[in-house]
Amino acid sequence: MLKPVNEVKAKNEHNYCIFRLNILSSKKVVLYLLHIFTKKTMENITSEEKLIEEIAFPLYASRNWLKLIGILLIVYGGLVAITLIGILVAWLPIWIGIICFQAGRKIELAYKLRDKLSLINAQKNLANFFTIYGILILGGLAIGLMFIVLLISFGIPGNFEELNNYMQNDFY
């Protein structure tokens, strides 16, 4: 059983509420309490906060998908790292996964707290995510084109039976 460490008196509208925080209080609990205490009524929300909420909503609706993609990329990077050659490239999906997961967390904060800085950081993380993936796609296309050029320059085997015989003779 956890014992209370300290009491925090917080004014919530017209009455005082007493909350007990435990040693092992998670970040989500602290953020939720912060959200409750900073929550404003619809009349007190500024136009900037309304704008932040409207801009953040589409990404907020997709936040769980962002986090899932981030987790899957981290797991994929871990599986790729098991192979000998994979150790060289495993850092990329892990790094992209961390960026994607952080974007999901930051957009959640931006929407719930109407925080401009969290919204900007989430958008920067998404920009990094798409930039890195764009570079990877361009690199893949360049390597693919290079193989096509090499295949054409050395000649496409016209007789696939010869190629099949060559492969069977080499390995058997």
Side-chain angles (χ1 to χ4, degrees):
M1 194 75 162
L2 297 174
K3 296 186 177 184
V5 174
N6 59 0
E7 293 181 354
V8 177
K9 288 186 178 181
K11 187 174 184 180
N12 189 2
E13 307 267 38
H14 303 290
N15 56 358
Y16 284 95
C17 299
I18 298 175
F19 289 94
R20 295 176 187 242
L21 299 177
N22 295 328
I23 293 174
L24 299 176
S25 63
S26 68
K27 190 175 184 181
K28 287 184 179 181
V29 172
V30 173
L31 290 175
Y32 180 71
L33 290 175
L34 181 65
H35 174 67
I36 289 173
F37 299 141
T38 60
K39 191 173 183 178
K40 299 179 180 180
T41 59
M42 290 305 288
E43 302 88 40
N44 295 339
I45 296 176
T46 64
S47 62
E48 182 180 344
E49 289 175 334
K50 285 181 186 177
L51 182 63
I52 290 171
E53 188 175 3
E54 289 175 8
I55 291 172
F57 181 74
L59 290 175
Y60 177 75
S62 304
R63 74 192 181 284
N64 291 330
W65 287 107
L66 283 170
K67 290 179 183 180
L68 178 68
I69 290 171
I71 291 170
L72 291 176
L73 282 169
I74 292 170
V75 169
Y76 172 71
L79 292 174
V80 168
I82 293 173
T83 64
L84 184 63
I85 297 174
I87 293 173
L88 299 174
V89 294
W91 63 273
L92 250 147
I94 293 172
W95 180 37
I96 295 170
I98 290 170
I99 288 173
C100 196
F101 190 80
Q102 285 177 346
R105 269 194 3 234
K106 289 177 184 177
I107 199 65
E108 188 173 4
L109 284 175
Y111 181 77
K112 286 184 177 178
L113 301 177
R114 296 176 189 97
D115 183 27
K116 182 178 178 181
L117 187 60
S118 294
L119 179 63
I120 292 170
N121 286 333
Q123 289 177 341
K124 284 181 182 178
N125 280 351
L126 284 174
N128 288 340
F129 173 78
F130 287 116
T131 302
I132 293 167
Y133 255 114
I135 291 170
L136 288 175
I137 289 171
L138 288 175
L141 288 173
I143 291 172
L145 286 174
M146 184 177 65
F147 279 120
I148 290 172
V149 168
L150 287 174
L151 187 63
I152 291 172
S153 65
F154 288 116
I156 300 174
N159 190 354
F160 287 103
E161 288 180 23
E162 290 178 20
L163 181 63
N164 190 19
N165 290 337
Y166 173 75
M167 295 294 283
Q168 286 180 354
N169 291 336
D170 231 13
F171 294 111
Y172 294 113

